Amino acid sequence: MNAMAVKFFWRFLGRWRPAVILATALTAAPAAWAAFGEVIEKPVPEFSRLGDRISAKLIPRAKSTSVQIQFSAAGAKLLDVSGMDFEKAERPEVDVKNFKAALFVIHLDSVTPGGEAKVSLTSDFFISSTQFYVFNETLSQPWIISDAVNLTLPDRVQELVVSVKDGGPLDSDGKADGRITLVGGPRDSFWGYALGTLFIRFFGIFIVLSILMLGMIFSGLVFQWLARRKAAGENKKTAAIAPQIKAEPKGPTGNCLDPAAAAAVAIALHLHLGGVHAPPVMDLSGPPPGSWTLHGRAQMMAERMLVFNRKNR
Amino acid sequence: MSWAYVFELIQNIMITQTGIPNLAIKEVFMIGVAFFFLYLAVAKKYEPLLLVPIGFGIFLVNFPLVPLMGFSEHGNPELIRAFYKYGIEWEIIPCVIFLGLGAMTDFGPLIANPKTLVIGAGAQLGVFITYIGVLFFGFTLKEAASVGIIGGADGPTTIYLTAKLAPHLLGANALAAYSYMAMVPLIQPPIMRLMTTPEQRRIKMRQLRPVSAQEKLLFPLIAAILIILLIPAVAPLMGMFMFGNFMRECGVVKRLSDTAQNALMNIVTIFLGLSVGATMQADKFLSWKPLLIFGFGLMDFVVCTFGGILTVHIMNRFLKEKINPLIGSAGVSAVPMSARVSHTEGLKADPDNWLIMHAMGPNLAGVIGSASAAGMFIAMFQ
């Protein structure tokens, strides 16, 4: 029965079979290919300390240039910050792609036991929707969204301020001992970014090419106007010269020709006597010519003109 | 000296200094792939100028122990690695190719009908659809962008972007781009017929206005100003493209223009092809990823063709003088193959309808469009 059902379904699909196979592959494959390129793009932060602040320099995922993240603490002493491999914190509920920067292990000291400290992460790499996720493997649900405040500073810099209570759920050491270990990282929506940028950039191309189009239409109009003006000027000149030519008296013998007519006669004689013949005249009557036809005609005319070119002989 | 010593010596020489015992099945397979591409290039004449050096590059680097793509003990690049490093890693060759392309290009049809620029933009649809599509397969954003650009049907742009964002995919991307460009006459016509009615295919377009030499001379300057101001990341490609075109149109540097069009272009094509082919070493290339890239590359081309024709249909809703939708498919850049395909399909519908000059407009717009898309991606990942 099952085989029959499959057979029926297969026949029912008809010409859509390849599409269905592709769709099945598309839905089945992502899990298998989820690790593509991750190793290549793994952020490797380098830390440096300047007074109370620690700075991390790293190339985040989907970026080619490095960014800086500044760490500072209030209500505690910032002891140390280090990077952490995401594999150690990998759980089904989180996707590494959303953590474009890295995971950090932040150690704080000199906290009032059981008291609260504030950790600040400042960078122009963050955006207003960036969140700070905390990983605490001692909890049954190790990943927690911290209620970090995202502040906008001048020069497009964002500051994430995370409040951590000594011995609280965000403190990985779990003890109210005056020391805090905060493990986590800034998180952005991968798909939000991918889709948002897709939209912006696809329409961006339309905008760029439309601006170019407008520029070309405008310059085209200017050039056409200039060409018309030039043609009108030449027409005027011709009109002014023409009566003069008409009015010119003929010579006493009556043998004087104007230069254009003399050249035409000379060329006719040359063609007749020289053995170099132009191709036979083509019949160009018929339907109105298209661009291709006109282009062909222009080429033929250009070829004909070669017989008049005496430069190389 | 005993016989045992001699045999051991021979054995050592065989193992360490000859390729035969080191030849693996995967390398033999890749040599087979090289033969396939050489066959396509020589017998079928599919993009021979590129596929011959690419095929030979694949062929050469898949022998065991060959000192071609590695580094010497002192860290110096071996022969083809040097071509790759200085030509592609340093992003020089794609830009030089754009210089040559600019010197070869007559922008007349595009200047005469600037509306076709919008078609070039619409034909980038596949680039972005593929970009999202491959993300579902776990590709990173940079990899997705480099695969997406294949549909732009612009070899140098694909190589430029891939070398910048995902150099490990260079061989597969370049090969997919050039293979599909060669197959434009096979891929596009069914989509064109599917998306147009016979009446639409018979639409005759008004003859293009003549374009003056001054207009052609100023075009590269105007275009460079606008595009580079809007997308600075595309300056290396677009700058070289427009420089090449300016040399052509100014008419005072005919020797330089001629060199850019012929000798220089031929030289860099040899190095480009060899370097790209050489990236396809068995241990790096033999995975499912290149197959996926080839699959998505094909889809990309199809969607780009679809996007170009769809854009013409949308434009025709607003235009008094209708555009023949067949020229929409020329919006993928593949110059001039896709314009020829539009022309041929037009002739099939009406033997008196000559579309080639009209199709060159979107075709050139496609070059600008795909370079712009590449610039957008580069800017995104900076």
Side-chain angles (χ1 to χ4, degrees):
Chain A
M1 189 64 193
N2 264 350
M4 272 186 72
V6 168
K7 208 172 170 184
F8 171 76
F9 186 62
W10 195 243
R11 274 194 186 170
F12 174 75
L13 289 176
R15 59 194 283 210
W16 297 103
R17 273 177 222 161
V20 172
I21 292 167
L22 183 67
T24 314
L26 279 170
T27 47
W33 300 107
F36 267 173
E38 288 312 319
V39 179
I40 300 157
E41 291 202 339
K42 195 187 229 176
V44 184
E46 288 170 12
F47 296 94
S48 58
R49 181 182 270 278
L50 192 70
D52 291 341
R53 299 173 84 88
I54 291 177
S55 173
K57 190 179 173 191
L58 58 118
I59 298 175
R61 286 188 177 85
K63 285 274 169 196
S64 302
T65 47
S66 62
V67 298
Q68 286 216 333
I69 300 174
Q70 304 274 351
F71 295 84
S72 59
K77 189 183 165 197
L78 184 61
L79 203 64
D80 170 46
V81 181
S82 57
M84 184 178 141
D85 211 336
F86 191 86
E87 283 162 18
K88 291 177 189 166
E90 202 158 8
R91 298 288 187 279
E93 63 268 25
V94 289
D95 184 355
V96 64
K97 282 179 184 166
N98 293 324
F99 293 85
K100 280 167 48 180
L103 282 187
F104 300 102
V105 183
I106 304 162
H107 292 290
L108 302 178
D109 198 3
S110 313
V111 189
T112 317
E116 196 175 81
K118 286 186 192 304
V119 179
S120 294
L121 289 84
T122 314
S123 176
D124 58 0
F125 173 62
F126 300 150
I127 53 172
S128 58
S129 63
T130 305
Q131 295 173 309
F132 191 85
Y133 270 45
V134 177
F135 176 73
N136 186 350
E137 58 185 338
T138 59
L139 303 176
S140 57
Q141 293 284 324
W143 280 101
I144 310 161
I145 309 170
S146 76
D147 48 0
V149 182
N150 192 329
L151 303 169
T152 304
L153 304 179
D155 298 329
R156 290 181 294 131
V157 173
Q158 297 290 136
E159 184 178 9
L160 293 172
V161 184
V162 190
S163 302
V164 197
K165 195 181 171 199
D166 186 22
L170 304 189
D171 183 3
S172 284
D173 66 22
K175 296 174 210 159
D177 56 355
R179 288 181 175 194
I180 290 174
T181 303
L182 178 66
V183 181
R187 181 194 178 278
D188 295 287
S189 165
F190 172 81
W191 284 105
Y193 178 69
L195 290 170
T197 199
L198 167 88
F199 184 81
I200 293 163
R201 282 164 211 279
F202 181 55
F203 287 98
I205 290 180
F206 271 98
I207 292 166
V208 170
L209 293 194
S210 299
I211 290 172
L212 182 59
M213 179 185 80
L214 292 176
M216 284 168 64
I217 289 174
F218 176 72
S219 65
L221 288 173
V222 171
F223 275 107
Q224 285 177 71
W225 175 74
L226 286 173
R228 276 200 301 273
R229 218 177 114 180
K230 197 176 165 190
E234 274 171 8
N235 284 346
K236 261 187 194 171
K237 262 188 198 169
T238 320
I241 293 165
Q244 286 174 15
I245 293 169
K246 266 190 184 174
E248 243 175 41
K250 286 190 177 177
T253 55
N255 289 337
C256 279
L257 281 175
D258 72 274
V265 171
I267 289 164
L269 283 171
H270 165 74
L271 290 174
H272 183 69
L273 302 170
V276 183
H277 296 289
V281 177
M282 287 182 73
D283 179 20
L284 297 174
S285 58
S291 57
W292 182 250
T293 317
L294 286 171
H295 180 68
R297 277 187 201 170
Q299 278 210 325
M300 278 190 289
M301 292 306 288
E303 276 167 20
R304 269 187 194 191
M305 286 305 287
L306 288 177
V307 297
F308 301 112
N309 182 5
R310 306 285 296 165
K311 253 195 266 177
N312 300 328
R313 294 187 190 177
Chain B
M1 192 169 65
S2 65
W3 279 110
Y5 176 74
V6 173
F7 281 129
E8 192 189 337
L9 204 62
I10 292 169
Q11 195 185 15
N12 280 348
I13 289 170
M14 284 292 285
I15 292 169
T16 59
Q17 292 171 30
T18 74
I20 300 159
N22 297 294
L23 194 64
I25 292 287
K26 57 186 181 178
E27 283 158 349
V28 176
F29 177 80
M30 285 308 293
I31 291 171
V33 171
F35 283 156
F36 173 67
F37 282 108
L38 288 173
Y39 165 77
L40 286 182
V42 178
K44 298 283 175 188
K45 297 199 168 42
Y46 284 167
E47 288 279 327
L49 290 177
L50 253 303
L51 287 191
V52 165
I54 288 178
F56 217 86
I58 304 170
F59 174 68
L60 283 179
V61 294
N62 280 292
F63 287 99
L65 310 181
V66 289
L68 286 171
M69 270 304 269
F71 291 91
S72 71
E73 204 179 321
H74 306 292
N76 297 325
E78 302 284 6
L79 180 69
I80 302 183
R81 169 64 70 178
F83 300 159
Y84 177 80
K85 180 177 171 151
Y86 301 116
I88 294 178
E89 249 178 40
W90 288 18
E91 296 152 14
I92 290 170
I93 290 179
C95 298
V96 175
I97 287 194
F98 255 68
L99 174 78
L101 288 178
M104 285 177 181
T105 305
D106 175 9
F107 276 109
L110 182 65
I111 300 170
N113 191 5
K115 284 195 289 279
T116 52
L117 272 165
V118 181
I119 305 172
Q124 305 308 313
L125 180 68
V127 172
F128 292 91
I129 298 286
T130 307
Y131 159 75
I132 285 293
V134 294
L135 286 178
F136 282 107
F137 280 78
F139 279 63
T140 64
L141 286 169
K142 283 188 197 173
E143 288 175 331
S146 74
V147 175
I149 204 72
I150 292 172
D154 195 329
T157 305
T158 305
I159 290 167
Y160 182 77
L161 188 72
T162 309
K164 231 176 166 63
L165 300 183
H168 53 289
L169 300 183
L170 189 64
N173 280 3
L175 208 57
Y178 281 112
S179 305
Y180 291 134
M181 274 162 67
M183 283 191 261
V184 156
L186 302 176
I187 298 169
Q188 288 196 322
I191 306 158
M192 294 161 80
R193 285 194 286 268
L194 189 74
M195 287 197 63
T196 52
T197 62
E199 290 74 40
Q200 287 169 336
R201 273 175 251 157
R202 281 196 285 268
I203 292 176
K204 281 196 177 170
M205 293 173 69
R206 192 157 56 102
Q207 193 200 335
L208 297 173
R209 72 171 173 85
V211 177
S212 68
Q214 289 99 318
E215 252 184 294
K216 285 186 181 177
L217 179 66
L218 278 183
F219 172 78
L221 297 174
I222 296 170
I225 290 170
L226 291 175
I227 296 170
I228 295 173
L229 273 179
L230 291 165
I231 320 171
V234 83
L237 282 181
M238 210 37 79
M240 286 291 109
F241 191 51
M242 294 306 168
F243 171 50
N245 191 250
F246 189 79
M247 285 202 298
R248 174 199 167 95
E249 298 300 344
C250 71
V252 292
V253 285
K254 281 192 175 141
R255 276 163 49 196
L256 301 189
S257 172
D258 179 56
T259 305
Q261 288 178 45
N262 300 297
L264 184 62
M265 191 76 163
N266 293 340
I267 290 167
V268 290
T269 302
I270 293 171
F271 293 126
L272 174 77
L274 268 180
S275 312
V276 166
T279 60
M280 294 170 62
Q281 289 162 292
D283 50 345
K284 290 175 190 161
F285 189 76
L286 283 181
S287 71
W288 286 100
K289 212 183 245 188
L291 284 181
L292 276 176
I293 290 170
F294 270 79
F296 273 104
L298 178 61
M299 189 196 86
D300 203 348
F301 255 75
V302 170
V303 181
C304 281
T305 306
F306 172 86
I309 298 171
L310 183 71
T311 309
V312 177
H313 283 311
I314 295 169
M315 285 171 77
N316 276 346
R317 297 232 162 225
F318 304 99
L319 291 175
K320 215 186 275 177
E321 271 184 47
K322 303 293 177 207
I323 299 173
N324 190 317
L326 289 177
I327 70 165
S329 64
V332 301
S333 49
V335 181
M337 280 95 74
S338 53
R340 270 193 221 137
V341 171
S342 300
H343 175 65
T344 314
E345 287 301 309
L347 282 181
K348 279 180 194 166
D350 176 359
D352 208 27
N353 198 2
W354 296 74
L355 288 175
I356 185 88
M357 297 305 278
H358 300 289
M360 281 309 290
N363 212 187
L364 297 171
V367 177
I368 298 174
S370 59
S372 303
M376 295 264 183
F377 279 133
I378 292 167
M380 175 179 162
F381 299 119
Q382 261 174 358

